[in-house]
């Protein structure tokens, strides 16, 4: 705080120093424990230092002490730190700017107020809105729904909860999917990579729709990868259709990503080995996306 105008640079430096210090102490502690255990090892104490038995015992001991379990512990530590940073930084940034950034107070929050208070006049009010009146409504609808639950309009905590929930869900899918397919180390690397992207906590605190789009893109990727390993995956593919619908209903840019997703999904599902099963699965995908398409086209055209 004394050296910068923002919490973020200081927190990044602090985190890097903390990780480096933790790794240094863990490695140093491992070496000290190894030396003590090596000296006190019964196999080594019974063998002559010049004998072949001593060298064999020494090699076996060091192989045991440098086993993957120590590396796994470092990856686990990295995973915990990365998740902690990603969970904390958006909250600290939001406290500094509780109304969010430009898109939030210029577009998403006013639209949520219209949806919350205008009653049957909401369509007329939105049609005369100055900033992107035809943008899809996932963000303001979710915020208005949260306001309805808490009973207070323009409750900033509810507005941020919308963005924060999507951000943590995105993190959960990234860590969970990479852990499922690649193990703990892959999950730790994925979390660290996401923690290294400054835009992620910034856009979460900004309460932008990019978080909703990113969640649905990540969810679609994870669901398709999961369905490829499951014989009967119609339910997973239907959820993938919901993820594509979420892209459509989040933001205009999400429509572009959804258009790219459909041919990619078709290539992944309709294989030359089983056209019938691929066709049925694609039908589930279209069926799950249909409600979102109907809402989007009705909102855009009518």
């Amino acid at each position: 705080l004394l050296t910068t105008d923002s919490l973020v640079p200081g927190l990044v430096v602090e985190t890097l120093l903390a990780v480096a210090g933790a790794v240094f102490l863990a490695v140093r502690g491992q070496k000290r424990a190894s030396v003590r255990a090596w000296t006190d090892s019964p196999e080594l104490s019974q063998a002559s230092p010049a004998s072949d038995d001593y060298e064999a015992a020494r090699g076996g001991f060091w192989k045991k002490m440098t086993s993957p379990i120590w590396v796994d512990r470092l990856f686990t530590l990295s995973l915990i730190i990365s998740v902690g940073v990603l969970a904390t930084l958006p909250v600290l940034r939001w406290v500094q700017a509780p109304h969010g950034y430009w898109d939030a107070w210029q577009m998403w929050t006013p639209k949520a107020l219209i949806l919350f208070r205008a009653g049957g006049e909401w369509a007329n009010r939105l049609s005369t809105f100055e900033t992107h009146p035809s943008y899809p409504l996932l963000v303001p609808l979710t915020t208005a729904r949260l306001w309805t639950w808490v009973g207070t309009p323009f409750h900033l905590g509810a507005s941020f909860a919308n963005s924060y929930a999507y951000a943590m869900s995105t993190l959960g899918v990234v860590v969970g999917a990479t852990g499922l397919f690649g193990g703990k180390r892959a999950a730790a690397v994925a979390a660290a990579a996401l923690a290294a992207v400054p835009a992620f906590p910034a856009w979460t605190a900004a309460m932008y729709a990019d978080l909703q789009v990113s969640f649905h893109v990540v969810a679609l990727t994870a669901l398709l990868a999961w369905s490829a390993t499951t014989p009967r995956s119609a339910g997973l593919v239907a959820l993938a259709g919901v993820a594509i619908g979420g892209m459509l209903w989040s933001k205009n840019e999400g429509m572009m990503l959804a258009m790219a997703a459909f041919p990619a999904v078709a290539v992944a599902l309709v294989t030359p080995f089983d056209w019938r099963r691929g066709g049925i699965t694609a039908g589930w995908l279209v069926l799950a996306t249909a409600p979102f398409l109907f809402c989007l086209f009705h909102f855009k055209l009518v």
Side-chain angles (χ1 to χ4, degrees):
L1 284 173
L2 292 175
T3 57
T4 62
D5 294 328
S6 171
L7 278 174
V8 178
L11 284 172
V12 171
V13 173
E14 184 184 54
T15 302
L16 292 175
L17 292 176
V19 173
V23 172
F24 171 78
L25 292 175
V27 172
R28 187 180 181 188
Q30 174 191 347
K31 288 183 177 179
R32 288 189 173 183
S34 302
V35 170
R36 285 196 300 270
W38 176 41
T39 305
D40 299 335
S41 172
E43 295 88 354
L44 294 176
S45 61
Q46 296 173 6
S48 172
S51 65
D52 294 337
D53 293 340
Y54 183 87
E55 291 299 325
R58 181 182 179 185
F61 174 79
W62 282 110
K63 183 177 180 181
K64 180 176 66 175
M65 292 306 296
T66 56
S67 65
I69 188 172
W70 291 96
V71 182
D72 284 340
R73 288 176 179 174
L74 292 178
F75 275 101
T76 301
L77 177 64
S78 170
L79 177 61
I80 294 172
I81 292 174
S82 299
V83 171
V85 168
L86 289 169
T88 305
L89 272 182
V91 179
L92 297 178
R93 297 198 66 152
W94 172 69
V95 170
Q96 294 175 340
H99 291 272
Y101 298 175
W102 175 268
D103 281 13
W105 51 264
Q106 179 72 8
M107 179 169 54
W108 299 125
T109 303
K111 286 184 177 181
L113 283 168
I114 291 174
L115 293 167
F116 183 80
R117 286 193 161 175
E121 292 294 317
W122 70 270
N124 293 331
R125 298 288 182 87
L126 283 182
S127 65
T128 59
F129 201 81
E130 293 183 359
T131 307
H132 297 299
S134 65
Y135 254 38
L137 296 178
L138 178 64
V139 175
L141 278 172
T142 308
T143 300
R145 183 182 297 112
L146 291 172
W147 286 342
T148 303
W149 288 349
V150 299
T152 305
F154 207 65
H155 192 285
L156 297 178
S159 303
F160 176 68
N162 177 13
S163 182
Y164 190 76
Y166 270 100
M168 292 302 100
S169 298
T170 304
L171 172 63
V173 173
V174 168
V175 173
T178 51
L180 179 65
F181 301 124
K184 182 191 299 181
R185 298 185 184 185
V189 172
L194 192 57
V197 179
F200 188 79
W203 262 222
T204 303
M207 296 185 272
Y208 278 19
D210 302 78
L211 267 298
Q212 282 78 357
V213 175
S214 66
F215 166 74
H216 291 107
V217 171
V218 170
L220 172 65
T221 306
L223 286 165
L224 290 179
W226 194 0
S227 65
T229 63
T230 307
R232 296 182 180 181
S233 56
L236 296 176
V237 173
L239 286 174
V242 174
I244 294 178
M247 295 182 210
L248 292 168
W249 197 228
S250 298
K251 198 177 181 183
N252 279 351
E253 289 86 338
M255 297 167 58
M256 175 190 67
L257 293 171
M259 291 175 62
F262 271 112
V265 172
V267 171
L269 296 179
V270 184
T271 65
F273 305 103
D274 193 349
W275 284 96
R276 181 176 177 275
R277 178 177 174 271
I280 294 174
T281 306
W284 277 104
L285 182 80
V286 174
L287 187 64
T289 312
F292 296 90
L293 287 170
F294 174 79
C295 292
L296 183 67
F297 284 129
H298 180 78
F299 177 68
K300 291 281 189 181
L301 299 177
V302 179

